[in-house]
Amino acid sequence: MTAALRELARLRGIATDYTTDRGHRVTVPPDTLVAVLAACGVDAATDASARAALADLRGDARGGGGAGVAKDGGVAGDRRGGGVAGDRRVGGDARDRRVGGDARVGGVAGVGGGGGAAGGGALPPCVVVRAGSPARPALPSHAQAYVALEDGGRAAPSDPLPPGHHLLHVTHAGQDRTVPLLAVPDRIPVPGQRSWGFLVQLYSVLSRRSWGMGDLGDLAGLAAWSGSALGAGFVQLGPLHAMEPGPLPDPSPYRPSSRRFPDPMHVRVTDVPEYRQLTGPARAEAESLAARARELNDGVLSGRTLIDRETVRALKHRVLRLVHAVPLAPARRAAFEAFTAREGQDLTDFATWCALAEVHGGAWRSWPTALRDPRSAAVAAARQEHADAVAFHRWLAWITDEQLAAAQRTAVEAGMDIGLMHDLAVGVAPEGADAWALQHCLAAGMSVGAPPDDFNPHGQDWGQPPWRPDALAAEGYRPLAALLRAGMRHSGALRVDHVMGLFRLWWVPEGRSPSEGTYVRYDAEAMLGVLLLEAHRAGVHVIGEDLGTVEAGVREELAARGVLGTSVQRFEYLGGSEGRHGPLPAARWRTNCLATLTTHDLPTTAAWLTGEHVELRARLGLLTRPETEEKDEAAAERDGWLAELEREGLLPDPDGEAVALHRFLTRTPSRLLGVWLPDATGDRRPQNLPGTATVHPNWRLPVADRDGRPVPLDELPGRPGVQTIARVFTSGAPHRTDR
């Protein structure tokens, strides 16, 4: 690795080495650095090109004033460590570095906290300050500046600024410059009282009225019942993001086409007002399709078939095209037009991509060349050519949004303190709608993943393109704000998957193994600030999924800003990198977190207690060690926890060990307590078995009982196990519904 390449990577926030979860230092291959730099628009393929790029970067910094701005939004010039994992300090070494007076968490991409360069006063592509504090950018002598506030007002840069997306205008030497200025909250409030709720994958919660998978009508029903009858305060959902059209070889909701819009396959068709107005042949066709959907639903609930999203979506789309032809009443038309005005270009892009995907397939990189650019004249012409399809997909987005809003209203009316808790996936499919519309903000040829660790010794490649730090800064973080706003609109809380990605992400060059990736640093003050700004506006709480390898300082920074963490019993142990030393006592769990026993990626509690999760992996040929060794380790883990329950006085329990484990959660100080719904029914099957694609029916199982018989939503209230676990948290006391 040449000195120029190393320094260039450092200045761009790209780690040249990192520390594993076991404390080992690993040097990143030079080819990886070259590939990552290329994805950020920097040519470092040869030593000469790397030196030229470095000189250009330094020359630009000197001309613009030194440390503040790198040419395409690179890291501020004095960032030692450049985001290297081993430097364990938040934002490189900048935790106490005050950029522009008030930024506390360091950054990448010349974005840090309103800071101009020290010396010449060049502006970064985006200024970020804490709300209530002045911007105080370092400006050239005799420069004139003002802040155009989001609400139309005007302020001086020295004035305390309200939260919002503002603009900083600077005039100097006859030249005008305008950059985004984000005033972000110092922190957001955490829930004021303890609350509990069910954790569900919506597709798996079917009722007798469903069309083959759980829908938004089922969600409203689940919220109404669990809130009013059981005293639950929230329902945490898996992602409801829009999926790719056509076949779904990977039905994971965590690899969506768009995080900006929910998928219309979650709509309850019969609840769309215009459905009831169908007449004549359209009505007859709709009823015929509905009958087929009911047969599909019966097959799933009887256990004969698995959940089949493709068929469900196809049936719903056929009926919804008939419904779309029904003219909207004046009030409905006004509501639809207000929705399209609010969603603007994002909705136009999404609907256009959907329409083009119906013609050319869902992989936009294989479309005709002129259609790969969403701003091309060819796309504009195609939008006119397929205007009916574009209008249909706009309408689908609207009715989905309406039903999401109705589900949240139902949850609140049932007395829930939080209501719906939506889930924001860490990224999107590389050929999907968001990757097409936002390709200028995503790193082409890169994929997000994780380095090798104890959980996965080969590392992980999630097949999703990461944000480019420099491009996000140049956009004033508007794309990030838009998808956050969408996820928070009809919710009381947002769960952010892999929240550590606000600080750094593991980038894997296309065609290489995950072990050949590296960490790329983001401006945490900007990324986290945008998250808090949108949460502040929406009045929602934020839960960060901070499981796995987390660099030192990140959890502390998130907690200081009001972002709750995630604690899962299977990972809560005493000790650290030296190894586990027994279960973490309940009193030592985090207060500001969502505490659960398991997740969608882990064995259910029933399977974990019996060791069936090891037997399943053995049957599928997934074990990497002898089965007896795996079983002994699993039994030792279980027995350790049962001993902890005995120490807490929770065993023996007349209701069994699974209930005792839930009682253990109530002994923790955690503000939010989550119950995996399949645990309440005794289900032994995992919803997802990581590392498998065809040998296990991932993301296709309905909630079932201990024998694998599906349990409809309609029958949940009568299930003794559900009632028993609910009483653990509330003693059966319902919420008041007259708030």
Side-chain angles (χ1 to χ4, degrees), residues 412-730:
V412 173
E413 290 167 359
M416 286 190 163
D417 302 309
I418 294 173
L420 305 185
M421 185 186 295
H422 288 295
D423 194 354
L424 179 69
V426 68
V428 294
E431 296 275 25
D434 283 1
W436 177 71
L438 299 173
Q439 56 190 277
H440 62 294
C441 290
L442 299 174
M446 293 288 139
S447 176
V448 176
D453 56 22
D454 277 352
F455 181 73
N456 193 321
H458 301 293
Q460 300 176 59
D461 183 344
W462 302 332
Q464 300 168 322
W467 293 113
R468 276 183 58 167
D470 57 328
L472 265 186
E475 288 282 328
Y477 293 87
R478 285 185 294 271
L480 176 61
L483 67 91
L484 290 169
R485 197 173 304 132
M488 295 173 178
R489 182 167 291 119
H490 304 306
S491 68
L494 181 71
R495 175 188 181 271
V496 180
D497 192 37
H498 195 70
V499 72
M500 298 84 78
L502 298 176
F503 297 80
R504 66 178 184 179
L505 279 174
W506 183 258
W507 288 23
V508 181
E510 192 174 80
R512 300 187 186 177
S513 71
S515 63
E516 296 178 89
T518 189
Y519 283 110
V520 175
R521 177 71 60 186
Y522 292 82
D523 190 303
E525 177 67 11
M527 301 284 281
L528 183 55
V530 171
L531 173 63
L532 300 187
L533 176 57
E534 295 306 324
H536 166 77
R537 292 175 154 192
V540 306
H541 304 295
V542 176
I543 295 89
E545 186 272 296
D546 55 356
L547 304 175
T549 301
V550 185
E551 61 179 326
V554 166
R555 285 193 175 114
E556 292 78 6
E557 181 65 24
L558 292 171
R561 305 294 294 274
V563 177
L564 277 66
T566 301
S567 293
V568 179
Q569 173 244 330
R570 312 291 161 76
F571 303 139
E572 293 298 317
Y573 282 88
L574 295 166
S577 60
E578 300 301 320
R580 295 174 170 179
H581 303 300
L584 186 68
R588 295 183 59 179
W589 284 43
R590 288 183 286 175
T591 298
N592 289 337
C593 76
L594 168 65
T596 72
L597 296 183
T598 189
T599 75
H600 55 265
D601 282 334
L602 294 172
T604 66
T605 298
W608 178 79
L609 284 168
T610 62
E612 290 178 45
H613 60 303
V614 177
E615 295 173 3
L616 172 63
R617 294 174 60 236
R619 286 198 306 272
L620 299 178
L622 301 176
L623 298 183
T624 57
R625 295 180 296 167
E627 183 175 350
T628 54
E629 188 176 331
E630 294 265 5
K631 284 185 173 180
D632 289 345
E633 182 177 288
E637 177 184 329
R638 177 201 61 212
D639 292 345
W641 275 103
L642 295 182
E644 180 64 20
L645 295 183
E646 290 180 356
R647 193 187 71 79
E648 287 274 354
L650 296 173
L651 283 181
D653 188 310
D655 295 314
E657 295 168 345
V659 174
L661 283 165
H662 284 93
R663 293 191 203 282
F664 177 87
L665 290 182
T666 68
R667 298 282 183 92
T668 73
S670 303
R671 291 184 183 273
L672 301 180
L673 306 177
V675 176
W676 179 231
L677 182 58
D679 274 355
T681 61
D683 202 342
R684 298 170 182 269
R685 308 162 309 165
Q687 281 292 319
N688 178 50
L689 194 58
T692 65
T694 58
V695 297
H696 184 74
N698 293 333
W699 314 112
R700 290 176 288 171
L701 294 170
V703 172
D705 63 17
R706 59 175 297 165
D707 298 316
R709 290 189 295 264
V711 179
L713 173 62
D714 321 63
E715 297 179 8
L716 284 177
R719 289 275 163 172
V722 173
Q723 296 292 336
T724 299
I725 285 180
R727 283 194 295 271
V728 167
F729 298 99
T730 62

Side-chain angles (χ1 to χ4, degrees), residues 318-447:
R318 288 181 62 182
V319 178
L320 289 170
R321 287 186 186 277
L322 298 171
V323 178
H324 180 236
V326 176
L328 294 173
R332 298 273 294 160
R333 170 60 60 182
F336 174 55
E337 290 174 351
F339 172 81
T340 57
R342 184 189 76 193
E343 301 303 322
Q345 187 63 49
D346 286 349
L347 178 59
T348 296
D349 287 342
F350 176 70
T352 300
W353 183 90
C354 291
L356 293 176
E358 290 178 347
V359 177
H360 301 286
W364 65 267
R365 294 182 188 276
S366 63
W367 290 358
T369 303
L371 297 180
R372 298 175 196 172
D373 178 2
R375 303 290 169 256
S376 70
V379 168
R383 186 179 297 120
Q384 292 301 316
E385 180 184 355
H386 303 291
D388 289 344
V390 173
F392 174 62
H393 287 288
R394 278 198 179 106
W395 177 82
L396 285 179
W398 172 57
I399 63 170
T400 309
D401 184 81
E402 277 198 319
Q403 293 196 4
L404 274 172
Q408 174 64 0
R409 283 196 304 272
T410 298
V412 173
E413 290 167 359
M416 286 190 163
D417 302 309
I418 294 173
L420 305 185
M421 185 186 295
H422 288 295
D423 194 354
L424 179 69
V426 68
V428 294
E431 296 275 25
D434 283 1
W436 177 71
L438 299 173
Q439 56 190 277
H440 62 294
C441 290
L442 299 174
M446 293 288 139
S447 176

Side-chain angles (χ1 to χ4, degrees), residues 34-61:
V34 171
V36 171
L37 284 164
C40 294
V42 178
D43 179 10
T46 65
D47 185 45
S49 62
R51 289 199 306 271
L54 184 59
D56 186 35
L57 184 63
R58 287 172 166 167
D60 185 69

Side-chain angles (χ1 to χ4, degrees), residues 80-174:
R80 297 176 185 84
V84 174
D87 194 348
R88 315 309 275 178
R89 284 170 285 191
V90 177
D93 65 345
R95 183 171 173 82
D96 297 318
R97 176 172 173 252
R98 305 288 178 124
V99 185
D102 200 55
R104 297 179 183 82
V105 180
V108 171
V111 186
L123 292 171
C126 181
V127 174
V128 182
V129 299
R130 301 287 174 96
S133 300
R136 289 203 297 266
L139 301 173
S141 300
H142 310 296
Q144 296 179 327
Y146 70 92
V147 178
L149 301 177
E150 188 175 22
D151 63 4
R154 183 165 169 159
S158 58
D159 293 339
L161 301 175
H165 294 260
H166 312 308
L167 292 173
L168 175 65
H169 295 269
V170 179
T171 300
H172 179 251

